[in-house]
């Protein structure tokens, strides 16, 4: 009879333990690997722009460079599941501005939005080397 009480107590406490410990943040491993060379295309007032980005990924952390008319620009970001975010800071003289890319990745393709001081633009991407 005593053993039945222990089993019953364990069964009653299990949901409480889940509630008590369920709010702990669990690190989500990335489900995608951005490592490689990507072509990112977006529309601008100047027409279609395609830029090359080389990504390196270490766990959920993204780093890399984007090739632009002003040269190679560093970027930093993160991966969570199949969602990516990365930011580049452009500097011209005494002024600087950020471009923030957010999106989702499926295999060797990606899509999302880019936020600039001039507004939001959609972008698409495809891996051309790596992975």
């Amino acid at each position: 009879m005593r053993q039945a009480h222990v089993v019953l107590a364990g069964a009653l406490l299990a949901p409480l333990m889940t509630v008590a410990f369920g709010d702990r943040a669990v690190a989500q491993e990335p489900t995608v690997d951005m490592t490689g060379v990507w072509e990112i295309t977006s529309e601008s007032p100047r027409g279609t722009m395609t830029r090359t980005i080389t990504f390196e990924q270490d766990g959920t952390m993204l780093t890399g460079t984007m090739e632009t008319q002003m040269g190679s620009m560093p970027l930093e970001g993160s991966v969570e599941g199949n969602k990516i975010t990365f930011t580049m800071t452009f500097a011209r003289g005494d002024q600087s501005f950020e471009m923030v890319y957010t999106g989702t990745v499926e295999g060797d393709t990606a899509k999302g939005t880019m936020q600039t001081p001039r507004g939001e633009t959609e972008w698409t991407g495809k891996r051309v080397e790596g992975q």
Side-chain angles (χ1 to χ4, degrees):
M1 185 75 163
R2 185 177 178 136
Q3 192 174 19
H5 287 162
V6 172
V7 171
L8 180 59
L12 292 173
L13 287 176
L16 295 175
M17 291 172 55
T18 302
V19 170
F21 298 109
D23 62 342
R24 287 190 183 164
V26 176
Q28 183 177 4
E29 289 297 315
T31 57
V32 297
D33 187 352
M34 294 295 293
T35 303
V37 179
W38 291 71
E39 287 183 349
I40 304 293
T41 303
S42 61
E43 294 296 325
S44 77
R46 296 180 184 162
T48 302
M49 298 181 71
T50 300
R51 295 190 169 129
T52 302
I53 298 180
T54 302
F55 285 110
E56 295 177 22
Q57 185 173 333
D58 183 9
T60 60
M61 198 167 103
L62 274 182
T63 57
T65 56
M66 177 184 276
E67 299 305 320
T68 71
Q69 295 171 335
M70 297 183 284
S72 199
M73 305 297 292
L75 63 88
E76 292 183 345
S78 63
V79 177
E80 185 175 326
N82 73 331
K83 296 180 183 351
I84 61 168
T85 300
F86 59 95
T87 303
M88 292 179 305
T89 303
F90 287 88
R92 286 188 181 160
D94 294 339
Q95 296 183 334
S96 66
F97 66 93
E98 286 187 338
M99 295 174 66
V100 180
Y101 288 76
T102 58
T104 56
V105 180
E106 291 184 27
D108 291 333
T109 62
K111 65 181 176 179
T113 57
M114 170 183 64
Q115 187 67 44
T116 72
R118 294 184 178 163
E120 189 173 272
T121 303
E122 291 184 1
W123 62 269
T124 59
K126 64 178 179 178
R127 188 186 326 252
V128 293
E129 283 181 40
Q131 199 40 331

